[in-house]
Amino acid sequence: DAGVIQSPRHEVTEMGQEVTLRCKPISGHDYLFWYRQTMMRGLELLIYFNNNVPIDDSGMPEDRFSAKMPNASFSTLKIQPSEPRDSAVYFCASSPDRGGPQPQHFGDGTRLSIL
Amino acid sequence: AQKVTQAQTEISVVEKEDVTLDCVYETRDTTYYLFWYKQPPSGELVFLIRRNSFDEQNEISGRYSWNFQKSTSSFNFTITASQVVDSAVYFCALSEPTYNTDKLIFGTGTRLQVFP
């Protein structure tokens, strides 16, 4: 089975530009999570969805960040406008809904650098 | 307050040594779940184990073993006869279904370096 697929793997852009990160979860998984990893703050949950509906976005840093899940097989995380402090590795993860928290399967991440 | 504490920031061992990574958690939930993940230098996060609060049996998987002790709120991870390929950052995580549904709260990780 294909795992969680994220694109792009690397993104370098200048501050002020819009950045869109993409994620395809594992087929059949009902939960999708977006995380950010930095040296200073570690792994932070930004937002997660259940059956395409956002459940908790309390980790989204500010209004410049938005996430959507238009269908069960696709999600985007958008940053507009981007700032250098947004530089991080962004992970997408998915898990099935089988009663009780299940192991989350992570994508390879997108390494984002904002100049 | 930290919900998941991994006090060891970095551990260095020589191959074939045994090493234990500590994880202490804090929760009000009576039903909760604990996880360990491995992040090798390549960067991906790999699931290792999931344990619920009602199952206090220790688990062994090859060279890996986990010691869950509710009395001390700890879920420690031991690698026996470590190998260079075990070099990675290891994360412990907690899920509290009553309060946070399926969110994972990660510790800050322990970087393990295994030298040949």
Side-chain angles (χ1 to χ4, degrees):
Chain A
D1 284 340
V4 175
I5 299 172
Q6 290 187 246
S7 64
R9 288 297 309 278
H10 303 272
E11 173 98 12
V12 180
T13 192
E14 294 189 347
M15 68 176 290
Q17 298 297 306
E18 178 178 290
V19 173
T20 300
L21 310 182
R22 296 173 176 80
C23 176
K24 177 178 168 57
I26 293 173
S27 177
H29 281 192
D30 304 287
Y31 286 94
L32 184 139
F33 305 82
W34 282 101
Y35 290 88
R36 178 172 68 176
Q37 186 177 34
T38 61
M39 289 293 293
M40 291 296 295
R41 302 176 67 94
L43 265 167
E44 303 174 273
L45 177 66
L46 301 177
I47 185 172
Y48 77 97
F49 297 82
N50 183 17
N51 292 321
N52 313 338
V53 176
I55 301 300
D56 185 343
D57 65 355
S58 59
M60 294 287 261
E62 46 197 274
D63 291 347
R64 298 184 297 106
F65 285 69
S66 63
K68 292 183 180 179
M69 192 165 185
N71 57 62
S73 58
F74 183 65
S75 177
T76 59
L77 178 68
K78 197 167 288 190
I79 309 173
Q80 166 64 15
S82 57
E83 296 182 4
R85 60 192 167 122
D86 302 330
S87 298
V89 180
Y90 290 81
F91 288 101
C92 176
S94 69
S95 66
D97 186 355
R98 285 189 203 140
Q102 298 296 314
Q104 294 178 17
H105 298 260
F106 284 76
D108 289 338
T110 294
R111 185 174 295 276
L112 177 63
S113 297
I114 309 296
L115 307 176
Chain B
Q2 283 276 31
K3 288 216 168 215
V4 179
T5 301
Q6 295 181 257
Q8 304 149 307
T9 306
E10 189 160 338
I11 301 175
S12 294
V13 299
V14 177
E15 236 182 348
K16 297 183 184 174
E17 281 187 43
D18 298 347
V19 58
T20 295
L21 310 181
D22 298 333
C23 174
V24 175
Y25 60 92
E26 179 186 332
T27 180
R28 296 169 294 166
D29 220 335
T30 53
T31 301
Y32 53 90
Y33 295 77
L34 296 161
F35 299 78
W36 276 94
Y37 282 83
K38 173 182 180 179
Q39 187 173 38
S42 48
E44 73 276 21
L45 279 145
V46 179
F47 163 74
L48 295 178
I49 189 170
R50 167 185 181 258
R51 176 53 52 87
N52 74 51
S53 53
F54 295 110
D55 183 1
E56 286 194 73
Q57 278 198 345
N58 291 333
E59 175 125 359
I60 298 175
S61 175
R63 295 183 298 106
Y64 294 173
S65 61
W66 289 269
N67 184 339
F68 177 30
Q69 294 202 335
K70 286 177 80 168
S71 59
T72 55
S73 297
S74 66
F75 187 43
N76 297 338
F77 173 32
T78 297
I79 302 174
T80 303
S82 59
Q83 299 177 2
V84 173
V85 292
D86 296 327
S87 298
V89 180
Y90 291 86
F91 292 94
C92 181
L94 166 71
S95 183
E96 303 169 293
T98 302
Y99 300 102
N100 292 305
T101 58
D102 287 72
K103 284 171 70 166
L104 281 182
I105 303 164
F106 282 88
T108 51
T110 296
R111 181 179 299 276
L112 173 65
Q113 293 200 34
V114 182
F115 293 99

